[in-house]
Amino acid sequence: MKYIIMFFIPLLLSANLSYLTNQTKEIAILESFDIEASFLYDPIMNQMRNSQRDVYSEQQFFKAMDEAYLFIPTIKNILSKYGIPPEFLFLAMAESSFSTKAYSVKRASGLWQFMPNTAKLYGLRIDQYVDERRDVIKSTEAAAKYLSKLYEKFGKWYLAAIAYNCGDGRLSRAIKNANSDELTVLLDPKKQYIPKESRFYIRKIVSLAMIGNDEQYLLNSEYEYLLNRANAYSISAVNVPSGESLRRVSSLINIPLAELQKLNRHLKHDFAPPYLKNYNIYIPYIKLSEFKQKYFEEKLNKFYKIHIVAKGDSLYSIGKKYNVSHTMIKDFNSLKGDMLSLNQKLIIPIDGKASGQRISSNFSTTIKITKSIKSILESNKVNI
């Protein structure tokens, strides 16, 4: 019996140490949101965490993390630059499941789910060529500025997160009605100072942050390599001239077109906007050296179709012929009006999505998500 006890004592001590270490980390996460440690015992949040862990046994959480592995270091670096706690990475996860193409019925879009007016207020361009709400770097910069402004107004990070969800005006009224900005007061389900969605939202972000920082949970999954993923797995912005084709860049640096498109979902077509002299596109950091060695600027007429204006042609008829909008033809050719001259040469941006052509690629993702993580994050197992 004595030997059996001696055998189990180290195991018990190890388990207790692991529990204390994890609890310390969880308290640190709460503190990063300016939330008191006692919130660790919030029954609704713990019910939510347990229900999420049950669903995440299918590893949807880590598949989403893996899908965004190129974005995560960049997001963390930008948040750090603005003095925003790294745990706000999980606000983006709660908003979009790290999908740059996420779009809501309310017309919010991108990683940070910006509405059009708010996006433009923070300098994000939205037009027929680009939607910079889907630009990882620019949208994260905008979100960081917005969160910083909310923190400056309310003075606590959990209030900034709640205001991000329900609006600063709505939160200001809630604080006034409650005569308090304490989290436990604002979360009162009977008083309903803030909307039910927002009461769910702050708990969801904290829960995701705790799961994402649970090293033991990672070690017990097939995704333990996420713990050791370095900043080398990131993206780099490279400057290309107006109208540059993603197809051409993918060929020059030997990267599948589908992978390049995934990194540049802010481009509505497979080329940089023609109205700007230069524009940033994104490539994997590991391809930056190759880009610098191999990339060279080429005239548009070398890789786009040239149409010679014939009798009876108009911008509308030419656009219809190539399945390209007439305004796009005007932009690519710097035309001020609709008048055309016989034998005039026009650049036609026939390139993937712009022309409606089917894009083929031998690129296949290593991991395919079979269920939407959004449905997991919005699980209705928890009543608030």
Side-chain angles (χ1 to χ4, degrees):
M1 178 65 72
K2 179 174 70 174
Y3 294 109
I4 295 174
I5 294 172
M6 290 178 66
F7 174 77
F8 278 106
I9 285 176
L11 294 178
L12 292 170
L13 289 174
S14 175
N16 189 49
L17 181 61
S18 176
Y19 169 78
L20 290 174
T21 302
N22 197 49
Q23 186 181 53
T24 301
K25 286 185 178 180
E26 291 177 341
I27 291 172
I29 289 170
L30 289 176
E31 289 176 347
S32 71
F33 286 100
D34 297 318
I35 299 174
E36 293 183 3
S38 59
F39 195 70
L40 192 62
Y41 305 102
D42 178 74
I44 297 174
M45 185 182 73
N46 284 312
Q47 184 185 350
M48 182 186 301
R49 287 177 64 192
N50 291 333
S51 66
Q52 286 175 336
R53 282 186 184 278
D54 290 340
V55 181
Y56 293 146
S57 63
E58 298 180 22
Q59 296 164 330
Q60 301 296 337
F61 175 91
F62 296 112
K63 286 181 181 179
M65 293 283 285
D66 196 64
E67 281 284 291
Y69 76 96
L70 285 177
F71 303 153
I72 289 174
T74 300
I75 295 171
K76 284 185 173 180
N77 287 339
I78 294 173
L79 293 178
S80 176
K81 184 175 79 171
Y82 285 89
I84 296 171
E87 289 77 14
F88 272 78
L89 167 74
F90 295 94
L91 186 148
M93 189 180 196
E95 287 285 346
S96 66
S97 304
F98 292 139
S99 172
T100 51
K101 63 181 180 180
Y103 191 85
S104 77
V105 293
K106 295 181 180 179
R107 296 175 62 221
S109 184
L111 278 178
W112 299 92
Q113 288 292 281
F114 273 109
M115 296 290 285
N117 289 340
T118 308
K120 291 175 181 177
L121 184 65
Y122 282 88
L124 299 180
R125 191 187 298 266
I126 303 172
D127 57 35
Q128 70 166 318
Y129 296 102
V130 297
D131 186 342
E132 291 180 343
R133 294 176 296 172
R134 296 181 174 184
D135 183 310
V136 174
I137 292 178
K138 290 180 180 178
S139 69
T140 301
E141 289 270 357
K145 291 174 184 176
Y146 184 33
L147 286 166
S148 296
K149 181 181 177 182
L150 292 172
Y151 177 71
E152 184 179 343
K153 179 174 181 177
F154 293 106
K156 294 177 182 176
W157 283 116
Y158 68 80
L159 293 174
I162 293 172
Y164 194 94
N165 178 253
C166 68
D168 56 340
R170 180 69 179 82
L171 180 58
S172 293
R173 291 192 297 274
I175 292 172
K176 183 178 180 181
N177 292 336
N179 197 29
S180 172
D181 65 1
E182 292 299 314
L183 183 59
T184 52
V185 175
L186 294 173
L187 292 181
D188 189 324
K190 294 182 179 179
K191 298 291 186 180
Q192 298 184 5
Y193 293 117
I194 59 175
K196 180 179 179 180
E197 179 189 349
S198 299
R199 300 198 299 273
F200 182 91
Y201 186 79
I202 185 62
R203 289 175 167 119
K204 178 164 64 174
I205 296 169
V206 173
S207 297
L208 292 172
M210 287 182 176
I211 294 172
N213 285 281
D214 188 340
E215 290 187 11
Q216 202 60 42
Y217 190 42
L218 275 168
L219 288 169
N220 292 333
S221 76
E222 65 181 276
Y223 295 101
E224 64 177 280
Y225 60 86
L226 288 172
L227 286 169
N228 303 313
R229 190 162 264 168
N231 281 357
Y233 292 92
S234 191
I235 60 175
S236 290
V238 294
N239 202 255
V240 296
S242 66
E244 178 60 82
S245 164
L246 289 185
R247 188 181 296 275
R248 177 172 176 268
V249 174
S250 73
S251 177
L252 286 173
I253 64 173
N254 193 30
I255 179 175
L257 177 60
E259 185 175 345
L260 195 59
Q261 289 169 331
K262 182 180 178 180
L263 296 179
N264 291 279
R265 285 193 175 129
H266 56 293
L267 298 179
K268 291 185 176 180
H269 308 288
D270 287 339
F271 47 74
Y275 54 76
L276 295 173
K277 187 176 181 181
N278 296 286
Y279 195 76
N280 280 347
I281 64 169
Y282 304 119
I283 63 174
Y285 176 80
I286 57 174
K287 285 289 183 178
L288 182 58
S289 177
E290 191 173 353
F291 177 88
K292 290 179 178 179
Q293 292 173 14
K294 295 182 178 180
Y295 182 78
F296 62 94
E297 187 173 344
E298 185 68 278
K299 291 183 178 180
L300 294 179
N301 59 14
K302 295 289 186 179
F303 55 91
Y304 287 131
K305 189 172 182 62
I306 300 298
H307 177 87
I308 299 175
V309 177
K311 186 177 181 180
D313 276 349
S314 67
L315 285 174
Y316 179 80
S317 66
I318 296 170
K320 189 174 181 181
K321 177 180 179 179
Y322 296 105
N323 196 22
V324 176
S325 73
H326 72 284
T327 56
M328 195 175 290
I329 297 174
K330 286 179 67 174
D331 289 339
F332 264 84
N333 293 274
S334 301
L335 301 178
K336 294 181 179 180
D338 293 341
M339 295 293 293
L340 299 175
S341 303
L342 199 62
N343 296 323
Q344 180 179 357
K345 293 181 179 180
L346 296 175
I347 297 170
I348 310 297
I350 296 179
D351 195 292
K353 289 175 283 187
S355 63
Q357 293 178 346
R358 184 180 182 84
I359 299 172
S360 61
S361 173
N362 60 2
F363 173 76
S364 61
T365 54
T366 55
I367 297 174
K368 293 184 178 179
I369 299 178
T370 55
K371 295 181 181 179
S372 170
I373 193 170
K374 192 168 185 180
S375 64
I376 296 171
L377 297 177
E378 295 175 353
S379 170
N380 59 6
K381 290 185 179 181
V382 180
N383 295 317
I384 301 179

